[in-house]
């Protein structure tokens, strides 16, 4: 095992790698609860999402462990699950159609992984827009958490308003949020997971959490009919593009960040990048066929690296722990059914995604406004795709009229025109 994972060469050992794997798992385990809780709102059966979440995490993480030998864990990404629900709600399509879009995005991502187009795409899109997309998704997620908690409610006059703190669900949400914030402030490892656990305990003693069992035989995976034809008949091309774009940026950015932290970068490049990106693409494709949204490299992997994780043994431990959770579907189902437990995690994860905005040059209007437009349009239109489209239209336009048109990659002008046509002829898609 030491030789296979090159532990001595990397300056680590089995004990450190196991501890790192446990730490990473605890910081990202919330996805096993949160993903089914979100997707079930779109009508996807809980057990289907539960199985798909774990299987896609295990498949992607094992590829990362054995092929890339990186301490970077894979699982269904946050934001894309919330977007899935909004597409089902606003487009009037079935979840089978949207999973068809996810599968197409996964296949395209897999194909791009073996070409130079991925690098061209990443290099052509300016950093400001990338930061804006990540932050916009963060607000999108946080807004969902605020609605689930009851802190933000619908209002006929102002669209949204502050909720009732006396409502038991809202009160439990606020309590859970404060507990989790304190844990994070105190740098407690696995703070999100522990916060959810404590909130669940409080909910249980308040009589709000009904637990009918702890462990059981894992549910059987269900392969359902993906409606790929529906993607074309409903013109969901922007949805496919949004999934593809966000997955590429999210994964690449996270992998580079975690690899830098673990001192695995060589001359500014990521060795075995294709193997690492393949892990994500395969996990996304597998997840779509079972019932989950695109997978991504998890930034929570940095918590495992912080305690010394440097090899694929860290991610092997994460994969094994995800497999073990297959036997705890009853307790996960109970926790998922009480939104007050999962809402604080969404709000906090949303805040984590704001950090990139510090890198935007807000004094340069042609950089600042497109970023602002992306960030504000995503939550207000309940569409990640619309936010991306507005950014891709305004960025090249402002650069062109500020005399900096040559700084913009030609591919951005092409995307800008495509998005203008799409918003005129296929609004809402």
């Amino acid at each position: 095992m030491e030789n296979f994972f090159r532990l001595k060469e990397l300056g680590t050992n089995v004990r450190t790698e196991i501890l790192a794997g446990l730490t990473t798992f605890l910081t990202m385990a919330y996805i096993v609860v949160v993903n089914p809780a979100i997707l079930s709102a779109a009508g996807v059966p809980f057990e289907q999402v539960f199985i798909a979440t774990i299987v896609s995490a295990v498949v992607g993480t094992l590829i990362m462990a054995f092929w890339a030998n990186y301490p970077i864990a894979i699982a269904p990404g946050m934001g894309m699950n919330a977007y899935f629900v909004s597409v089902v709600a606003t487009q009037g399509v079935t979840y089978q159609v949207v999973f068809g879009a996810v599968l197409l995005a996964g296949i395209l991502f897999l194909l791009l992984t073996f070409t130079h187009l991925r690098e061209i795409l990443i290099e052509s899109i300016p950093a400001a827009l990338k930061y804006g997309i990540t932050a916009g998704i963060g607000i999108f997620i946080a807004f969902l958490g605020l609605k689930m908690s009851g802190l933000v409610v619908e209002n006929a006059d102002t669209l949204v308003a502050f909720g009732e703190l006396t409502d038991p669900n809202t009160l439990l949400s606020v309590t859970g949020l404060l507990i989790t914030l304190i844990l994070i402030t105190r740098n407690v490892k696995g703070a999100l997971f522990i916060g959810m656990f404590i909130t669940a305990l409080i909910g249980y003693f308040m009589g709000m959490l009904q637990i009918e069992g702890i462990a059981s035989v894992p549910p059987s995976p269900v392969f359902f009919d993906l409606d790929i034809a529906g993607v074309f008949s409903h013109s969901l091309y922007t949805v496919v593009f949004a999934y593809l774009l966000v997955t590429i940026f999210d994964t690449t950015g996270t992998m580079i960040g975690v690899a830098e932290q673990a001192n695995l970068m060589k001359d500014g490049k990521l060795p075995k990048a294709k193997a690492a990106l393949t892990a994500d693409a395969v996990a996304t494709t597998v997840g779509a066929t079972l019932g989950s949204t695109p997978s991504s490299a998890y930034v929570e992997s940095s918590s495992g690296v912080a305690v010394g994780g440097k090899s694929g043994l860290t991610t092997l431990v994460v994969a094994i722990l995800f497999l073990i959770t297959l036997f705890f579907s009853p307790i996960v189902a109970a926790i998922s059914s009480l939104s007050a437990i999962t809402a604080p995690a969404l709000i906090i994860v949303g805040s984590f995604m704001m950090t990139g905005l510090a890198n935007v040059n807000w004094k340069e209007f042609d950089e600042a406004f497109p970023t602002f437009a992306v960030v504000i349009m995503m939550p207000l239109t309940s569409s990640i795709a619309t936010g991306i489209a507005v950014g891709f239209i305004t960025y090249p336009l402002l650069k062109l009229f500020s005399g900096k048109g040559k700084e913009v990659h030609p591919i951005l002008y092409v995307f800008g025109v495509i998005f203008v046509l799409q918003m005129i002829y296929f609004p809402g898609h």
Side-chain angles (χ1 to χ4, degrees), residues 4-5 28 54-75 275-276 278-280 282-283 311-323:
F4 183 83
F5 290 109
M28 63 185 289
I54 292 172
V55 171
S56 53
V58 170
V59 168
T61 304
L62 285 178
I63 293 172
M64 189 70 76
F66 290 116
W67 193 12
N69 195 28
Y70 284 148
I72 305 170
I74 302 285
T278 301
D280 190 47
V282 172
S311 79
L313 182 54
T314 292
T315 35
L316 175 59
V317 171
V318 173
I320 290 168
L321 291 170
F322 266 116
L323 273 174

Side-chain angles (χ1 to χ4, degrees), residues 237 299 426:
Y237 310 115
V299 73
F426 303 101

Side-chain angles (χ1 to χ4, degrees), residues 276-335:
L277 287 161
T278 301
D280 190 47
V282 172
T284 294
T285 309
V286 170
T289 59
L290 285 172
S292 184
T293 42
S295 293
S296 175
Y298 260 60
V299 73
E300 284 84 353
S301 303
S302 60
S303 63
V305 171
V307 298
K310 290 186 177 181
S311 79
L313 182 54
T314 292
T315 35
L316 175 59
V317 171
V318 173
I320 290 168
L321 291 170
F322 266 116
L323 273 174
I324 292 170
T325 59
L326 275 174
F327 295 90
F328 295 93
S329 62
I331 187 72
V332 173
I335 291 170

Side-chain angles (χ1 to χ4, degrees), residues 95-111:
Y95 67 79
Q96 288 90 341
V97 172
V98 191
F99 276 132
V102 175
L103 180 64
L104 288 175
I107 293 168
L108 285 172
F109 188 29
L110 196 56
L111 293 173

Side-chain angles (χ1 to χ4, degrees), residues 107-288:
I107 293 168
L108 285 172
F109 188 29
L110 196 56
L111 293 173
L112 285 174
T113 300
F114 297 101
T115 69
H116 291 296
L117 285 173
R118 180 182 53 81
E119 284 87 349
I120 293 169
L121 197 59
I122 291 167
E123 289 166 11
S124 68
I125 297 170
L129 284 186
K130 293 175 190 172
Y131 294 133
I133 289 168
T134 303
I137 292 170
I139 295 177
F140 189 88
I141 294 170
F143 188 51
L144 178 67
L146 289 167
K147 287 195 291 185
M148 285 170 62
S149 67
L151 279 168
V152 170
V153 294
E154 289 183 23
N155 182 281
D157 300 318
T158 59
L159 294 181
V160 290
F162 190 65
E164 294 286 341
L165 286 177
T166 52
D167 180 85
N169 188 69
T170 306
L171 185 61
L172 181 59
S173 297
V174 172
T175 304
L177 180 61
L178 290 173
I179 289 168
T180 312
L181 288 172
I182 291 167
L183 290 170
I184 292 170
T185 306
R186 299 295 301 168
N187 294 317
V188 174
K189 293 286 187 291
L192 280 176
F193 181 77
I194 296 168
M196 288 172 71
F197 178 74
I198 295 171
T199 309
L201 277 179
I202 296 169
Y204 179 76
F205 288 112
M206 286 175 67
M208 297 172 67
L209 181 62
Q210 308 299 322
I211 299 174
E212 296 177 2
I214 303 294
S216 71
V217 175
S220 299
V222 178
F223 288 92
F224 57 97
D225 294 326
L226 289 165
D227 191 355
I228 295 175
V231 176
F232 299 98
S233 63
H234 290 90
S235 304
L236 298 182
Y237 310 115
T238 316
V239 175
V240 175
F241 185 71
Y243 275 130
L244 178 64
L245 206 60
V246 173
T247 307
I248 288 173
F249 293 153
D250 194 22
T251 294
T252 308
T254 300
M255 283 184 185
I256 290 171
V258 177
E260 284 274 15
Q261 184 189 356
N263 295 317
L264 297 170
M265 298 287 283
K266 306 291 181 188
D267 301 319
K269 293 184 178 180
L270 183 66
K272 294 188 178 179
K274 279 187 170 58
L277 287 161
T278 301
D280 190 47
V282 172
T284 294
T285 309
V286 170

